[in-house]
Amino acid sequence: MSNQTLEELRAKIDIVNKEILDAVNKRQSYIAEIGNVKSKQGVHRYDPIRERDMLNKLIAVNEGPLTNQELEHTFKEIFKVGLEKQEQSKQKELLVSRKRQPENTIVQINDVEIGNGKPAFVFGPCAVESLEQTAAVATKIKSKGLQLMRGGAFKPRTSPYDFQGLGVEGLEILDTVRKQSGLGVISEIVSPVDVEIACENIDVIQIGARNMQNFELLKAVGKTNKPVLLKRGLAATIDEFIHAAEYILAQGNPNVILCERGIRTYEKATRNTLDLSAVPILKQETHLPVMVDVTHSTGRKDIMLPCAKAALAVGADGVMAEVHPDPAVALSDSAQQMNFEEFDAFWSELESFSQK
Ligand code: PEP
Ligand code: MN
């Protein structure tokens, strides 16, 4: 083959390349239009039956030399690019997405604004055990000028034989304490049937790590207007976490606070691995406030303070930690709750750090 013939053939390939490029781009623009139609209909974009049908139609008219297998391989790659583009635009459509709403969501709990640039702090016992115990923590928290308290009424425990929380009685204790103290109270519920009673007795509904993908619970709290503190699942990816929040917003409730609480890894030095990188990612990807629970993530009182500082340094809107009047006799998480003396030291350092 002469050099001239080679050049001529290469020129022809260049022309065909351009034709393929134009055809693929044209295909992409049709896909975008189809995506818009499907999104209005609320249907999922990927349709494997349609994909099979397209491949069969191409195989029927294939004159070679491409084998049918090579044809499938080539066109599946083209289909994949289209799907990836659809996925990207779907992300932009999420209600929680920063692309959809550039300004920060601020969640109001009484007089406290979570997500306004000033860090918020939530302390309190792992579980509500009695009125006296809860009121004692409330007094301690108030003495520091803080305005929010946590306390579990429904405790999702690994063993069914461990203390399960006081249930509705616990929520009522929180209601009594919030009325006495003026503090905003946060507590977890684990079932949609308790949404109504929670709305009456507490200020923020917590959805715990074990229930991050309890979709019926997410939908139920989404139907209220109550602030929701949504904790990251034990083994949830950031994407799954974001979509769990989307379930709540999709039902009409915009008042969602995300909470990083550590994920399960092979590391045993801490109870869970605190994924601080999730904080700036969640702040970038979503417009929701992000808090960090330093108790359930680290499980270690000796490193809670530096981890709390680190959380604020990477942009967290707040920190949560557990405090109990007498952790030695606590009915849950006895080893990791701070006693009042430890809390005094923790808070005095964290307060000055947060004001810097
Ligand atoms: C809690 O905050 O009481 C709790 C049980 O945490 P998590 O769901 O993150 O384990
Ligand atoms: Mn706990």
Side-chain angles (χ1 to χ4, degrees), residues 26-242:
K26 196 165 173 186
R27 187 177 191 281
Q28 284 302 125
S29 65
Y30 292 146
I31 286 177
E33 278 181 48
I34 289 178
N36 286 340
V37 175
K38 283 196 181 179
S39 137
K40 280 193 194 110
Q41 294 170 348
V43 287
H44 198 280
R45 302 266 177 84
Y46 178 60
D47 184 347
I49 296 171
R50 167 72 184 140
E51 187 169 308
R52 186 69 258 162
D53 184 45
M54 288 192 290
L55 290 172
N56 287 345
K57 280 183 178 143
L58 288 164
I59 288 168
V61 296
N62 184 20
E63 290 172 2
L66 218 58
T67 65
N68 287 344
Q69 207 182 356
E70 287 162 346
L71 177 156
E72 287 207 7
H73 178 75
T74 309
F75 274 85
K76 269 182 165 291
E77 285 303 307
I78 295 174
F79 296 167
K80 212 162 84 190
V81 182
L83 279 174
E84 279 165 8
K85 275 229 169 299
Q86 283 190 2
E87 268 312 305
Q88 283 164 11
S89 67
K90 213 167 82 191
Q91 289 291 344
K92 278 188 211 148
E93 281 166 19
L94 289 184
L95 294 167
V96 296
S97 167
R98 176 75 76 185
K99 293 188 188 92
R100 176 123 177 199
Q101 181 191 307
E103 62 279 5
N104 289 330
T105 284
I106 295 175
V107 177
Q108 185 95 30
I109 308 165
N110 302 332
D111 295 335
V112 186
E113 288 184 342
I114 315 272
N116 69 355
K118 205 172 151 263
F121 299 94
V122 178
F123 300 113
C126 182
V128 171
E129 296 168 5
S130 67
L131 177 60
E132 296 67 34
Q133 168 247 17
T134 311
V137 182
T139 306
K140 186 75 189 166
I141 288 171
K142 269 207 83 157
S143 74
K144 303 198 182 297
L146 292 160
Q147 292 164 285
L148 300 172
M149 182 169 93
R150 59 150 285 141
F154 293 91
K155 295 303 303 175
R157 306 300 299 281
T158 301
S159 166
Y161 307 115
D162 285 339
F163 177 57
Q164 301 286 306
L166 297 179
V168 173
E169 188 195 340
L171 294 180
E172 287 164 357
I173 289 174
L174 286 167
D175 185 36
T176 305
V177 169
R178 75 173 169 165
K179 283 175 180 148
Q180 283 169 359
S181 64
L183 294 174
V185 297
I186 298 167
S187 198
E188 173 171 359
I189 57 165
V190 294
S191 163
V193 299
D194 293 314
V195 170
E196 202 175 318
I197 189 117
C199 285
E200 288 162 16
N201 288 283
I202 59 175
D203 300 289
V204 180
I205 296 177
Q206 177 171 314
I207 295 191
R210 287 152 197 82
N211 278 300
M212 187 205 82
Q213 282 187 319
N214 180 339
F215 298 118
E216 294 311 313
L217 184 57
L218 297 174
K219 287 184 210 167
V221 297
K223 291 194 178 87
T224 74
N225 215 24
K226 270 276 167 192
V228 177
L229 184 107
L230 177 65
K231 299 186 98 179
R232 180 175 180 183
L234 306 162
T237 63
I238 291 175
D239 188 59
E240 287 162 345
F241 191 18
I242 288 174

Side-chain angles (χ1 to χ4, degrees), residues 126 150 155 296 322 333 336:
C126 182
R150 59 150 285 141
K155 295 303 303 175
H296 296 95
E322 287 183 347
D333 283 350
Q336 66 195 39

Side-chain angles (χ1 to χ4, degrees), residues 338-354:
M338 287 182 273
N339 64 29
F340 285 174
E341 211 179 303
E342 288 161 337
F343 178 45
D344 286 340
F346 175 89
W347 176 244
S348 103
E349 270 240 29
L350 190 59
E351 185 183 28
S352 52
F353 179 83
S354 69

